[in-house]
Amino acid sequence: MHPAPSVIIFTTLSGLGFGLLAWLGLGLPAVTGIVAFIFFAIAFGLAVGGLMASTFHLGHPERALKAFTQWRSSWLSREGVLAVAALLVMAVYGFGVVFLSVQWTLLGWIGSLLSALAVFATSMIYAQLKTVPRWNLPLTPALFMSFAIGGGALMAGQIKVATVLLIVAGIVQVAYWIVGDRALLGSGSTLSTATGLRFGAVRAFEPPHTGTNYLLKEFAYVVGRRHSMKLRVIGLALMAVVPVLCLLLPFSHVLAAVAVLSHLMGVAVVRWLFFAEAEHVLGLYYGVR
Amino acid sequence: MTQLPEHTEKSLGLVIDLDTCVGCHACVVSCKGWNTENYGAPLSDQDPYGSDPVGTFLNRVHSYEVQPASGPAQLVHFPKSCLHCEDAPCVTVCPTGASYKRTEDGIVLVNESDCIGCGLCAWACPYGAREMDAVAGVMKKCTLCVDRIYNTNLPEEDREPACVRTCPAGARHFGDLSDPGSAVSQLVAERGGMDLMPEQGTKPVNKYLPPRPKDKIGEDIDVLAPLLEPVAEEQRGFFSWLDKALEKL
Ligand code: SF4
Ligand code: SF4
Ligand code: SF4
């Protein structure tokens, strides 16, 4: 799949933003006043910035409001509804914490739950697609959730919890790679089932056109896959190993900043791989993976 | 509404004969023509006469080589357009309700004025039947020529999809696949019509007829073969003399 920058920025930033909101809603850290304002500003900046980025790849962003209508069937619509609901509830909760120094606990819990559900809905946009076997796994929501909650804990300064959760996120990521590498084969889709031609070995002889097309550009992205092993190691190191080491050392603000930045870059790298490595079954028709 | 209808009154679709398709791409051209000049946003091209042409098509013809365990390889031309699936994943993923399946005839369509161009439906289609138009920014797909098949302004013989009407080999057939008595359903029953990627669970309405097995060339090539034996084995006259003379040189 084509790793569109808008989608990578969206899932990376808003995942982290909603992760942080989920912790803030639980009152962790229990901050008020100006400190709370900074925490909430960062969380909203990430979540809203990510959502804005996601509209860049739309053909008609001016019609985006229509995307809130089909929550009964569409995960993309649900994601929009949950994200907006989470932001609204957390804005009210944040107002109380920042300006009135009160914690409306129940409201915070609701906001926290909605934030987590928004990330879950994002992951289901990908996990629901049978056409991309590497995404069509229960590990996909696990991956997005563990990243958001682990990264959120890191941002929220919950050092002990974050250490454990980032290790968990790293393990889920490795598991996702191991299972994902076999997913296309396991899906049972081959050029034979795609064409129904079963009287011999089928080979794509000639594509339907001399140039390229939307489908090949969008779904048959193979650039840089040969570096995927190196990128996996780099991504894992940045998103989990470095931050965990920073957290294990005695606390300092510099180390905390390094941990957050490293995690953010690491998530972006593995998110790039999440798209670039994903094979769409449509590629079979073109003899590419 | 992007929930799928429980039941459609008809299942209009195509039956594509892989045995007779000659790979001429006439259906590709007529489809592009009809759907650029008629309903919806035109199918645009980028750099059409330059070195890197790209464009939107609703119907494309692939070619595959099939190598049986023994004997020569066979070339199969393979037209592919939307299969108007019963369980269309492209419809349910749509966040805006732009993609829908019609209750009356099962045709899967995009309401272009509602489409935000998110592309998710194209991700959900296993067959590559949807293409985002680079100029219009909306999703394009086969409409089963909905603006022809019910169009009373057209002469009766033209009230079928452009690709079906134009195919010089008669490789594309149009009809109601939910009616077991229809010509297309009978064709499917007779020729063992099949689904593409059944494991994806999309339950396509369009069916493909597999190529018929090729005749085997055995010992007896042809009853007329003896009559085709060379009549003169020996040379006579001038050429015989020339042959001998050249031999001696
Ligand atoms: S062929 Fe693709 S676009 Fe057409 S109905 Fe089936 S899934 Fe949807
Ligand atoms: S591209 Fe248009 S039709 Fe397709 S899912 Fe998005 S809004 Fe719906
Ligand atoms: S039915 Fe119409 S829109 Fe569909 S492939 Fe044929 S010509 Fe194109």
Side-chain angles (χ1 to χ4, degrees):
Chain A
M1 303 289 288
H2 172 63
S6 60
V7 184
I8 295 172
I9 295 172
F10 155 56
T11 57
T12 305
L13 296 189
S14 72
L16 214 53
F18 283 115
L20 177 53
L21 282 178
W23 286 101
L24 291 174
L26 297 179
L28 297 165
V31 282
T32 51
I34 183 73
V35 186
F37 179 79
I38 294 169
F39 268 108
F40 274 90
I42 294 173
F44 271 86
L46 289 170
V48 177
L51 289 175
M52 302 270 277
S54 74
T55 61
F56 291 162
H57 82 285
L58 298 182
H60 283 277
E62 77 282 4
R63 298 177 189 158
L65 281 182
K66 294 197 176 177
F68 293 104
T69 59
Q70 303 301 314
W71 48 270
R72 282 186 204 81
S73 64
S74 163
W75 279 107
L76 180 50
S77 188
R78 284 172 200 161
E79 192 242 10
V81 172
L82 287 166
V84 170
L87 290 175
L88 288 178
V89 172
M90 286 309 287
V92 176
Y93 178 77
F95 181 84
V97 174
V98 173
F99 297 105
L100 311 175
S101 291
V102 287
Q103 286 185 354
W104 291 308
T105 316
L106 183 63
L107 196 68
W109 285 4
I110 295 173
S112 175
L113 181 69
L114 285 170
S115 302
L117 285 177
V119 177
F120 177 73
T122 307
S123 72
M124 285 308 291
I125 297 173
Y126 306 105
Q128 69 178 331
L129 296 174
K130 271 188 109 173
T131 49
V132 185
R134 195 188 277 275
W135 291 349
N136 191 219
L137 302 168
L139 272 171
T140 301
L143 189 70
F144 277 65
M145 296 299 281
S146 64
F147 274 40
I149 294 173
L154 176 64
M155 304 279 293
Q158 305 300 306
I159 295 178
K160 284 214 186 84
V161 195
T163 314
V164 177
L165 287 177
L166 286 178
I167 293 172
V168 171
I171 293 170
V172 173
Q173 176 65 78
V174 173
Y176 171 81
W177 282 328
I178 294 172
V179 177
D181 283 348
R182 295 190 211 119
L184 181 62
L185 218 58
S187 74
S189 289
T190 60
L191 186 48
S192 226
T193 68
T195 58
L197 299 169
R198 290 167 192 279
F199 58 93
V202 192
R203 186 172 75 90
F205 183 76
E206 212 176 21
H209 37 75
T210 50
T212 182
N213 64 16
Y214 164 75
L215 301 167
L216 285 171
K217 286 196 239 171
E218 187 79 4
F219 301 113
Y221 185 89
V222 288
V223 184
R225 268 202 207 148
R226 64 203 166 88
H227 295 307
S228 67
M229 207 51 219
K230 275 183 220 155
L231 286 172
R232 283 180 180 187
V233 174
I234 294 170
L236 193 65
L238 287 174
M239 67 125 309
V241 180
V242 173
V244 166
L245 289 179
C246 288
L247 293 180
L248 289 177
L249 291 171
F251 178 82
S252 84
H253 281 287
V254 179
L255 275 181
V258 171
V260 169
L261 279 180
S262 166
H263 176 73
L264 195 61
M265 288 192 304
V267 175
V269 171
V270 294
R271 237 354 101 66
W272 186 88
L273 282 170
F274 179 78
F275 289 96
E277 287 190 305
E279 308 94 340
H280 195 287
V281 291
L282 148 75
L284 294 168
Y285 285 106
Y286 287 88
V288 292
R289 291 188 47 182
Chain B
M1 215 31 202
T2 59
Q3 278 165 304
L4 288 165
E6 300 238 318
H7 175 76
T8 58
E9 279 157 47
K10 284 182 180 178
S11 297
L12 295 186
L14 301 177
V15 171
I16 294 175
D17 191 342
L18 298 178
D19 193 57
T20 45
C21 173
V22 293
C24 70
H25 292 241
C27 56
V28 177
V29 178
S30 68
C31 171
K32 176 110 175 173
W34 178 264
N35 288 288
T36 292
E37 292 147 12
N38 295 283
Y39 162 81
L43 304 175
S44 70
D45 289 312
Q46 284 71 52
D47 196 18
Y49 305 105
S51 56
D52 202 9
V54 194
T56 313
F57 288 80
L58 311 184
N59 175 39
R60 293 181 184 264
V61 181
H62 294 253
S63 296
Y64 297 105
E65 179 199 72
V66 188
Q67 176 63 64
S70 66
Q74 200 174 320
L75 198 61
V76 179
H77 302 293
F78 197 96
K80 186 156 54 62
S81 48
C82 170
L83 300 120
H84 297 279
C85 306
E86 234 173 84
D87 236 327
C90 56
V91 170
T92 50
V93 299
C94 176
T96 63
S99 277
Y100 62 106
K101 185 169 174 73
R102 303 199 335 163
T103 324
E104 60 269 43
D105 50 19
I107 300 181
V108 175
L109 288 177
V110 175
N111 177 350
E112 290 176 5
S113 58
D114 276 356
C115 173
I116 56 172
C118 67
L120 191 58
C121 53
W123 292 20
C125 169
Y127 310 105
R130 290 176 168 243
E131 299 190 14
M132 181 98 75
D133 190 84
V135 172
V138 293
M139 195 51 72
K140 300 295 298 182
K141 69 176 291 302
C142 160
T143 64
L144 207 63
C145 284
V146 71
D147 51 346
R148 284 176 69 95
I149 56 178
Y150 299 116
N151 191 340
T152 45
N153 294 322
L154 296 177
E156 180 125 29
E157 66 269 28
D158 282 336
R159 285 179 220 157
E160 60 176 16
C163 55
V164 174
R165 185 79 180 97
T166 214
C167 178
R172 300 177 79 108
H173 307 266
F174 163 71
D176 179 7
L177 285 132
S178 68
D179 168 12
S182 70
V184 277
S185 295
Q186 285 177 350
L187 202 54
V188 169
E190 223 170 83
R191 296 273 308 278
M194 61 200 182
D195 289 348
L196 304 186
M197 282 199 211
E199 71 280 2
Q200 283 277 333
T202 53
K203 299 201 207 119
V205 168
N206 285 13
K207 300 282 184 255
Y208 281 75
L209 306 179
R212 295 183 175 93
K214 288 275 182 245
D215 291 339
K216 290 272 180 309
I217 300 176
E219 293 287 297
D220 256 352
I221 290 184
D222 198 330
V223 280
L224 295 175
L227 301 176
L228 295 173
E229 304 241 327
V231 280
E233 296 285 355
E234 300 253 313
Q235 284 165 344
R236 261 176 268 151
F238 173 71
F239 284 106
S240 163
W241 171 82
L242 187 64
D243 194 39
K244 279 182 197 136
L246 287 170
E247 198 88 1
K248 275 186 197 140
L249 272 179

